[in-house]
Amino acid sequence: MQYITQAEKLFLLRTDETAYLLLINEYGHPEHLHYGTPVALADAAALRYKRTMPYGAEVLYAEDDPTYCLDNLPLEWSGIGKGDFRVSPIELELPDGSYTCDFVFQFAKLQPGARGAATLPGAYAEESADAETLVLTLKEKVFALQLELIYTVYPHENVITRSSVLHSQEASPVRIRRMMSQLLDLPNDGYRLVTLDGDWIQEAHRHDRALMPGCFVNESTTGNSSNRHNPGVMLAAPTACEDSGNVYGFNLIYSGNHYTAVELSPRNMVRIVSGINPLCFCWQLVQGETFETPEAVLTFSSHGFNGMSHNFHEFILHRILRGDWKAKDRPVLLNNWEAHFFDFTRRKLLRLARRAKKLGVELFVLDDGWFGARNSDHAGLGDYTVNRKKLRDGIEGLAQRINALGMQFGLWFEPESINTDSELYRNHPEYAMQLPGRTPALGRNQLLLNLANPAVRDYIVENVSSILDRANITYVKWDMNRHMSDMYSAVCPAGELYHRYILGLYEVLERIFRPRPHILLESCASGGNRFDLGMLCYSQQIWASDNTDPIERLKIQKGFSYFYPPVCMGAHVSQSPHQQTLRSTPLSTRFNVAAFGALGYELDLAELSPIEHRQIKEQISFYKQVRHTLQFGRFYRYQLPETNKDVFLAVAPDQSHAVLSFVQTLATAGDSNDVLRVKGLDANACYRLTAVPQKVSLARFGGLLKHIMPFTLRADGFILRTANRVHALPDGPFSLCTSGAALQSGVGLNDQFIGTGYHKDLRLWGDFGSQLYVVELEQEEEAE
Ligand code: GLA
């Protein structure tokens, strides 16, 4: 239950499991009292920071109060030039040329539901009872500027979103050089700062660091939310682990340059500000205008990182995702990219589609290369004329054929980019983002279109919409394959361009996809270069990474899972050896990892052996039975003592069943005594735990087959090569019944193969081996 009161200008924001307490102090500054486990209004005096003595070397705010120094106080907002020397949430160039600003309380308003923003996507509440909003209105002490601090409380998701809005009534323009969405000051508890960092094909790797005095900035400067540093940031108590301890999570509903500064002050207070990156940012606000910041999302859990993630996952499932696909199971797709790259014809596509259909694939996706002169990544972006040499009856014809096979049809677009070798560039070079007098820097041989320009936005909306309306397309992959550079626009000042680009992108997505809610939108930016809450307001899933190696994917999917639920992560089974790592992995492991996401296949099915076809068919059929749990269930990570193992777990909300993936990275000799612990079950219920049947290829054993067979065969001989195409060995069959309590405590698994003999129940894992396990509630026998 949420409870807010205005008594004594004290505000308690309650969610089911957290409380946030703040007050307006005697100087009109909003002071932070508490964020974390539930407390009551009556605790305010105890929680308040005590001011008894002045410190030396301080700037005092009020002449007659030697203890009131802004630098020492936990605040909800701050200004510049009045004695708070920590990182500021706002920097304004004021009409008198100064930067000093001081915002003080004017009035507060409570309203049911979420408030929403006029220019930016944000979280929403379908029923007004699902959220409550507190707006604190402050005013600048000298200039006619009003600042709103907006807090929306989502009680069941244990989330509070915050944003700030600036409104000017000043006759002269004000320049906003920095404006954050939120500021939070917490007493330090020895926190670790946890971020998700990476690059192309190595997105969202987790990094932990101790907080040290000074400021650490997690930011993106590439124009997108970036694969360098995801906007999600965590603060964890020293003893916090996956299932226990205090963890705070912060994220931003924004897809552009983001910025989160975490500062440990000399008074041992932690300040977290987050918002739009001030880099190259300068926004002119004239009289009567308003500037909105993106919503920052805050959560807290005393149940460790998993608890924090559950709050975020619920929030995304209920308050961010939209459209017909919001809560619908995602179809199993096949994407033709890694099978064909640019080299395809209608015939080739249909051959692949027929094979896919036989395996149980539900959605066939045509990737890059279907338009203009797009036969390589040097040409064609910006054009929408279908390449009739490749597709003689166009996209419509292909979609009809795919539909006739009994599959849905999906299509790739990269609407934000342009090749100089394109009809669009020849006709409208001014649409591209480039600086007059400078040779533009290319990324993947392309420039970006200037989405701040309304004519560009109209061009994209008209062309994409017309294709979507001509053919039966129920899925779109919206790609964006470069960082931003050469930022210049004839239509807006350079200081506004990064942000106006993102506003333009949101407008385009809004105009194309809101009227077409039947389309499942998967956003992509060279993989996970734009994996953020802003994109999730439009796209129900995001391609997590171009890296589909399952061992690499463990780190990537695990990293994203801190903030984003598995259903939002596109995850594909691709070929082995893997194209980026040259690593060979069993087909079972490729599936066992990709199953914890929106599953797809992305490989040339013609290259598979009959036994691999059979295995994929079984994988897809199994996935369809349990996908609701895998996609929408409660997802758990594990913190295992062994560094060569990892586990993903998804539990159905009613605890009736669960699916678990146990993966071994590099095998270590004799590493056999594995224990499986299943979290989140009903301790008193009885469950059956079963290993999902899988096979391991004979080729994996080479000459070692002599351990398994009564006779010796040459490892590279004709018989084994032929047998390998049609036969494989059962891998790790396992089944038992036990209580939820025993499963939580840990069930011992069978041994792994260690060359001492063969048993049909052995786990034949080796390097990169893995197994899926299903846990199902045992039906109690009816009494006779
Ligand atoms: C990007 C995407 C890939 C694929 C190619 C097509 O790299 O991440 O999945 O769509 O573009 O050019």
Side-chain angles (χ1 to χ4, degrees), residues 444-462:
R444 208 192 179 197
N445 314 304
Q446 66 208 42
L447 297 171
L448 284 172
L449 288 169
N450 178 4
L451 267 68
N453 180 346
V456 170
R457 299 201 291 272
D458 289 347
Y459 175 82
I460 296 174
V461 173
E462 279 155 25

Side-chain angles (χ1 to χ4, degrees), residues 495-506:
E496 300 185 1
L497 186 51
Y498 277 119
H499 187 51
R500 286 203 187 273
Y501 181 102
I502 297 297
L503 295 179
L505 169 67
Y506 291 147

Side-chain angles (χ1 to χ4, degrees), residues 118-135:
T119 53
L120 285 156
Y124 65 97
E126 267 147 355
E127 307 290 328
S128 58
D130 291 338
E132 198 165 7
T133 300
L134 165 68
V135 182

Side-chain angles (χ1 to χ4, degrees), residues 47 121 142 155 187 223 243 252 297-298 339 462 497 520 610 660 732 735 741 757 763:
L47 290 164
V142 173
D243 297 307
L252 196 66
V297 184
L298 284 66
E462 279 155 25
L497 186 51
L520 171 61
L660 189 142
S735 181
R763 287 181 290 143

Side-chain angles (χ1 to χ4, degrees), residues 130 160 241 243 284-285 295 300 324 399 501 577 622 637 694 734 740 759:
D130 291 338
I160 295 173
C241 55
D243 297 307
Q284 179 152 300
L285 204 61
E295 257 177 301
F300 166 83
D324 295 354
Y501 181 102
F622 167 76
R637 289 172 305 270
Q694 67 180 33
F734 191 77
H759 186 284

Side-chain angles (χ1 to χ4, degrees), residues 155-176:
H156 308 311
E157 291 79 15
N158 290 304
V159 158
I160 295 173
T161 66
R162 289 190 55 183
S163 62
S164 63
V165 173
L166 188 67
H167 182 72
S168 174
Q169 281 306 337
E170 270 301 317
S172 315
V174 169
R175 278 195 202 92
I176 308 172

Side-chain angles (χ1 to χ4, degrees), residues 200 335 337-338 342 367-369 374 377 412 414 444 477 479 481 524-528 543 545-546 602:
W200 176 67
N335 180 305
W337 175 244
E338 290 189 16
F342 295 102
D367 210 278
D368 196 355
R374 188 85 176 148
D377 60 13
W412 179 96
E414 190 171 346
R444 208 192 179 197
K477 179 171 168 190
D479 210 341
N481 279 314
C524 169
S526 309
W543 181 226
S545 177
D546 281 352
E602 189 163 341

Side-chain angles (χ1 to χ4, degrees), residues 189 237 244 286 504 515 538 560 574 735 739 745:
D189 191 17
S244 66
V286 299
Y538 300 97
F560 281 127
S574 63
S735 181
S739 65
S745 166

